Amino acid sequence: MTYPNIDPVFLSLGPLQLRWYGLMYVIGFAAAALLVARQARRFGWQELEAHFDSLNLVLIVGLVLGARLGYVCFYNPGYYLAHPLEIPATWSGGMSFHGGCIGAVLAGLWSSRRNGLDFWRVADLYVVTAPIGLFFGRIGNFINGELFGRVSTVPWAMIFPEGSPLPRHPSQLYESLCEGLLLFVLLWSLKARPWARPARPFWPHGSMLACFLAGYGLLRFFLEYTREPDAQLGLLWLGFSMGQWLCLLMIAAGCGLWWWRIRATR
């Protein structure tokens, strides 16, 4: 198939350029915030309203900082040790989902404790909306022609501008549909279980975060087989990519968290 070579800039105002990738982030954040507010009203958690705006801001900052530092530490530490002044240069590319996830969790934990909110309830409300941002973010990657897949002969393989003249998997679209749409449908269908009264023993608060960690990790692990490994790393031990190793840690963290939350709430 022909790659739809879309201009990554959708609006230019003199020296100011507005890019599709940035717009995807804005849409993802806005949609997530609206759905979190809707859940809080449905489940009767009025305490969140007073801290909603500040919590959103802290989470966004934590996610962006975590995503950048995650890329620096997980994917290219040698380069950035030699060029530390380039660490803040996010405009040159290099963001890690796994780092962003860690950053958002730590930021949410800090903000929740600071404002006297139950972190596990906050996590349950926010994490079921996270796949929306993943959906739009991967669409942004596709528009940019980045994070493309491995060479393939499937009928829908595409020739990406930066991916050599060989056709490749449009792995960004696979991830958008699976890590985004599919995972959102799954989590959204389960979102009310931790809030049920009487409480369900196998669905304590925190179980949605556990489902997200394990679910995303599992989906991404298998999708990595279609995604081109980072050139500076290639494939690591056992033929797994860095993304796959990080996903295995996510799956273990999700399963461990669910088990620990069940025991802690008995």
Side-chain angles (χ1 to χ4, degrees):
M1 293 181 65
T2 302
Y3 171 71
N5 204 359
I6 304 170
D7 188 342
V9 178
F10 72 88
L11 182 63
S12 294
L13 300 172
L16 178 64
Q17 292 185 332
L18 302 180
R19 295 178 174 268
W20 287 108
Y21 188 66
L23 179 62
M24 295 299 106
Y25 267 85
V26 172
I27 294 174
F29 285 136
L34 288 173
L35 290 178
V36 168
R38 175 183 170 183
Q39 290 180 88
R41 289 193 299 271
R42 175 184 172 184
F43 301 133
W45 197 27
Q46 292 85 0
E47 293 86 349
L48 183 67
E49 184 175 350
H51 309 288
F52 187 60
D53 293 335
S54 62
L55 181 58
N56 288 338
L57 178 60
V58 169
L59 287 171
I60 291 172
V61 172
L63 187 149
V64 173
L65 287 177
R68 182 56 174 174
L69 293 177
Y71 179 80
V72 169
C73 296
F74 299 146
Y75 290 93
N76 220 341
Y79 176 83
Y80 288 103
L81 279 174
H83 306 85
L85 295 180
E86 294 188 31
I87 292 176
T90 55
W91 52 88
S92 64
M95 304 286 273
S96 162
F97 164 79
H98 297 93
C101 182
I102 294 171
V105 168
L106 292 177
L109 181 61
W110 176 81
S111 184
S112 298
R113 289 186 173 180
R114 182 173 179 267
N115 293 302
L117 298 172
D118 182 341
F119 167 73
W120 302 113
R121 293 189 178 199
V122 170
D124 282 341
L125 291 182
Y126 276 88
V127 80
V128 298
T129 70
I132 298 174
L134 292 169
F135 173 84
F136 286 108
R138 294 308 184 197
I139 296 296
N141 292 143
F142 181 75
I143 292 173
N144 284 348
E146 61 191 5
L147 304 184
F148 41 75
R150 304 185 190 189
V151 174
S152 174
T153 58
V154 297
W156 55 87
M158 296 181 179
I159 299 175
F160 289 90
E162 303 298 326
S164 79
L166 298 174
R168 296 175 176 275
H169 283 289
S171 55
Q172 313 97 320
L173 299 183
Y174 302 166
E175 292 190 71
S176 178
L177 291 174
C178 294
E179 301 162 10
L181 184 60
L182 177 61
L183 188 57
F184 172 72
V185 170
L186 174 63
L187 294 177
W188 193 253
S189 68
L190 298 173
K191 68 182 185 301
R193 298 197 175 191
W195 301 86
R197 294 292 179 269
R200 300 186 181 185
F202 291 102
W203 294 96
H205 283 294
S207 58
M208 290 297 96
L209 176 57
C211 284
F212 173 79
L213 293 173
Y216 176 91
L218 188 63
L219 290 168
R220 170 79 180 268
F221 179 87
F222 288 106
L223 289 172
E224 280 280 319
Y225 283 115
T226 70
R227 180 170 163 174
E228 183 71 14
D230 291 78
Q232 71 276 14
L233 292 178
L235 296 176
L236 306 176
W237 189 46
L238 298 180
F240 293 164
S241 67
M242 174 61 79
Q244 287 177 305
W245 280 113
L246 294 172
C247 283
L248 288 175
L249 293 176
M250 281 189 75
I251 294 169
C255 294
L257 174 62
W258 202 339
W259 174 81
W260 177 71
R261 288 298 298 155
I262 289 173
R263 286 179 59 88
T265 53
R266 279 182 176 175

